[in-house]
Amino acid sequence: MEFPAFISIPEIVERVRSGEIRIPTFQRSFGWDAKDVRDLFDSLYRGIPVGTLIFWRRPGPAGQIQLGPLSLTVPDVGDALWVVDGQKRIISLALALSPDVDDTDDAGERFAVYFDLGTKKFVHPGEGLISTRAIPLHEFRASSDLFAWLRNHSEDLTEEDFEAAHRLNDSLRSYRIPAYVVASDDRDLIRLISGRVNSAGKTMSRAEVFRVSFAGRPEPSSPASVAKELAARGFGTIPERYVRQSLLAIRGGDINRSLDEEFSPTEDPADWYDRTEQAIAKGIGFLQGIGVPHRELVPNMAPLPALAAFFHLYEDIDPWIGRLLARWLWRGWAHGFGEGGWPAALRKIVAGPDAPAADSDVGLSEPYRFVRALLHSVPDRPPPGVDLSNVNPVGAQGSLVLLALYSLHPLDAGGNPVDVAGELEEFGTDAVTEIIPDIQNFARQAANPALWPPSAPPLLEVRDPHILASHAIDDQLANLLANWRDWRDWGRDHFLRARGRAIDKIVHDFLDSRLEPGSIIRPPLGDLLVAGLGDEI
């Protein structure tokens, strides 16, 4: 982040017109009327602070941009300053000081502001007859324009009028507005800066920050745009249908309904798409925290809308609630997500927190009630057996096998942790490599995969026992692997059968520790104390 600089009024106007300063959107009802515009200039004239401007440094593409009644053709600017906070002030300055604004248009009429040299007040044509001693503000864009206007109207002006005009001109040219320029892509940081710098702690709306993040790109309010932003997090591409279902889940009701008439005229869709992106991002962070590094290894994406709804409602959760939430996911991935199909179960669960609390729930927090409903929707059973003779490495069971291997913290040829998420991001499922090449059937493949970088030398050439152990290859298996070519098919099959048995145990222990079969579903200790049940545990 670049710390406060100061920007002059003429510089703002010229940078807007040249495309160096960009406004993400301009709405005809952008929130200020003619009086607000006049008040801004009155503050500048009197030297009253008008707040700090916040910019986001991002590329600005070439093309035609529209600021209400003003159309501008701008070049490509690699480090344009997109306005995060201060849009109304900058729009008002740029349009009121531009001579080519159509002030007969409804959107432009509010920017037709004059300075009455006699009363030293800012006036508007809509309020009545404009005095011949009132000068349009756009004449102050350049000193040469101002001097030409004063010469042309000199017969109507007094010496005091000339002094007032020069004073306003000096004020507009000497006034400096403090400005922050943010280079980070962290929207929460931008919202935090905006809230603390301006408006006495009142943060920007979600929709405002969301629009700025799509600077220079069309249609920010869509599942595709959210999916594209989420993909930049390195977790992989989230299918648009899950974005759409997550949005509907956080709004409540049937997650399979159409978006065509979802929003009322008073709602801003960008607000809800921003909420959705933040909720899904928190869900992604949770998945990564429980050992799922990338979208390619998620056994089933169907729980995502429920995760989004949960993290939309509850931000800071008790660690015990997080453990229960993880238990629900692992049980669902291992055994399925409830009778009647997942969407039916989700509709019931998402609606759950809004239902009145039962007498037995008094004192229990809503996050606990939500996650309890999730847990009751999935089976509580021991880990399923993984039939390694009939498993697709890229299917749901294959993902569980790979996640169990990931839990071993696989090392690369240099003994450093493999960046599994980065490898999957770059190579997709090709990041799951074969230990012994050219194995043709699933029965053998199930015991053959490794989370080993495809660009590295083959794993079968590695001899370091610590590296091999991190890929479920113990000393006995390492000996078989080192000599499998000498033993031909028998050696290969013997290695694969032995590694299959090792993987079977690893997967069982991995799932058992996460499914926690038979464990009680209890509230966090804080809930128990509030409910007066602390002595019973």
Side-chain angles (χ1 to χ4, degrees):
M1 181 175 65
E2 298 177 11
F3 286 93
F6 293 87
I7 187 168
S8 71
I9 307 302
E11 185 180 3
I12 289 173
V13 176
E14 294 312 312
R15 285 196 175 197
V16 169
R17 296 181 66 88
S18 69
E20 294 179 69
I21 289 178
R22 302 288 179 97
I23 310 292
T25 58
F26 181 93
Q27 296 172 297
R28 293 176 70 90
S29 56
F30 85 122
W32 274 17
D33 58 21
K35 180 180 183 302
D36 295 313
V37 179
R38 293 197 311 273
D39 287 347
L40 171 65
F41 281 94
D42 185 67
S43 295
L44 299 175
Y45 181 55
R46 297 171 183 269
I48 298 172
V50 295
T52 300
L53 304 175
I54 300 178
F55 299 100
W56 199 347
R57 193 182 295 283
R58 298 169 72 84
Q64 198 80 8
I65 61 175
Q66 195 73 29
L67 291 183
L70 181 61
S71 181
L72 299 170
T73 301
V74 296
D76 180 80
V77 180
D79 56 351
L81 300 177
W82 291 86
V83 183
V84 176
D85 203 354
Q87 291 188 27
K88 298 179 181 67
R89 284 166 283 167
I90 289 177
I91 289 171
S92 298
L93 291 172
L95 297 187
L97 293 170
S98 292
D100 45 358
V101 172
D102 181 5
D103 58 17
T104 63
D105 180 87
D106 288 343
E109 189 261 347
R110 78 194 76 177
F111 303 109
V113 180
Y114 291 69
F115 182 62
D116 191 315
L117 298 171
T119 63
K120 300 178 182 57
K121 292 184 178 180
F122 294 88
V123 295
H124 185 268
E127 298 176 325
L129 192 64
I130 294 295
S131 167
T132 57
R133 297 165 64 194
I135 179 171
L137 283 189
H138 63 73
E139 299 292 354
F140 288 87
R141 180 185 169 196
S143 294
S144 57
D145 294 338
L146 172 63
F147 297 154
W149 189 94
L150 291 174
R151 283 196 305 270
N152 293 335
H153 295 77
S154 59
E155 294 183 0
D156 299 322
L157 306 178
T158 66
E159 188 64 29
E160 188 178 352
D161 292 338
F162 280 94
E163 291 179 3
H166 287 300
R167 179 186 170 193
L168 175 58
N169 189 47
D170 290 344
S171 297
L172 294 178
R173 297 195 175 283
S174 63
Y175 196 103
R176 297 291 186 272
I177 302 179
Y180 281 92
V181 178
V182 182
S184 168
D185 284 335
D186 188 342
R187 290 189 208 157
D188 290 336
L189 171 63
I190 291 170
R191 190 179 286 113
L192 176 65
I193 293 170
S194 172
R196 292 187 178 177
V197 172
N198 289 324
S199 305
K202 181 180 178 182
T203 60
M204 297 176 64
S205 74
R206 295 175 181 272
E208 287 173 323
V209 175
F210 192 69
R211 281 199 183 89
V212 175
S213 69
F214 284 91
R217 288 173 285 168
E219 199 58 41
S221 302
S222 71
S225 61
V226 172
K228 185 173 182 179
E229 286 295 298
L230 290 169
R233 295 177 175 268
F235 188 75
T237 300
I238 304 298
E240 290 179 29
R241 69 180 181 277
Y242 293 120
V243 174
R244 182 181 66 253
Q245 289 178 350
S246 296
L247 182 147
L248 296 172
I250 69 175
R251 285 174 62 85
D254 182 1
I255 64 168
N256 291 316
R257 66 186 184 271
S258 171
L259 283 175
D260 291 344
E261 298 181 357
E262 178 64 21
F263 302 105
S264 71
T266 60
E267 290 182 295
D268 189 338
D271 182 19
W272 285 97
Y273 279 103
D274 183 52
R275 293 170 187 265
T276 301
E277 184 189 324
Q278 291 191 54
I280 294 177
K282 290 173 184 174
I284 288 172
F286 183 78
L287 292 176
Q288 293 170 322
I290 65 172
V292 183
H294 194 271
R295 158 81 178 89
E296 294 287 357
L297 297 189
V298 177
N300 187 337
M301 285 291 292
L304 185 62
L307 275 182
F310 181 85
F311 286 109
H312 168 67
L313 292 170
Y314 317 115
E315 295 188 6
D316 298 322
I317 60 171
D318 186 280
W320 177 254
I321 295 292
R323 180 172 172 177
L324 295 180
L325 189 62
R327 187 191 298 175
W328 161 69
L329 280 170
W330 290 110
R331 287 183 179 182
W333 284 332
H335 298 303
F337 282 103
E339 299 178 359
W342 171 245
L346 177 61
R347 284 196 297 273
K348 180 179 179 181
I349 292 164
V350 169
D354 295 327
D359 290 343
S360 59
D361 288 343
V362 173
L364 302 184
S365 64
E366 283 192 355
Y368 171 69
R369 292 168 53 207
F370 192 120
V371 78
R372 181 183 62 184
L374 291 173
L375 274 168
H376 284 320
S377 72
V378 294
D380 177 7
R381 294 199 297 264
V386 177
D387 184 1
L388 295 180
S389 67
N390 185 29
V391 61
N392 182 348
V394 297
Q397 285 203 11
S399 293
L400 292 174
V401 171
L402 293 173
L403 288 172
L405 294 177
Y406 176 70
S407 72
L408 301 179
H409 308 291
L411 304 176
D412 63 18
N416 302 307
V418 175
D419 180 9
V420 174
E423 297 291 332
L424 288 166
E425 189 74 1
E426 182 175 358
F427 298 104
T429 54
D430 288 341
V432 182
T433 55
E434 295 179 320
I435 298 175
I436 297 177
D438 303 323
I439 302 298
Q440 298 300 318
N441 63 65
F442 284 156
R444 289 172 175 169
Q445 283 185 30
N448 200 31
L451 295 171
W452 181 258
S455 58
L459 180 58
L460 58 82
E461 297 179 4
V462 174
R463 297 294 177 263
D464 187 315
H466 297 291
I467 295 174
L468 292 174
S470 72
H471 293 277
I473 301 173
D474 60 17
D475 291 343
Q476 180 183 2
L477 287 171
N479 183 57
L480 290 170
L481 185 63
N483 298 286
W484 75 272
R485 286 190 179 90
D486 296 336
W487 298 335
R488 298 177 183 260
D489 288 348
W490 180 89
R492 176 194 63 194
D493 292 345
H494 190 41
F495 168 81
L496 293 172
R497 283 196 298 271
R499 189 167 187 259
R501 289 192 294 273
I503 288 177
D504 184 68
K505 183 177 188 310
I506 289 169
V507 172
H508 178 277
D509 293 347
F510 171 79
L511 289 178
D512 187 69
S513 67
R514 286 155 177 79
L515 301 180
E516 300 183 298
S519 298
I520 63 170
I521 302 173
R522 66 158 179 82
L525 294 179
D527 283 17
L528 293 173
L529 293 173
V530 170
L533 301 175
D535 295 335
E536 300 180 15
I537 61 171

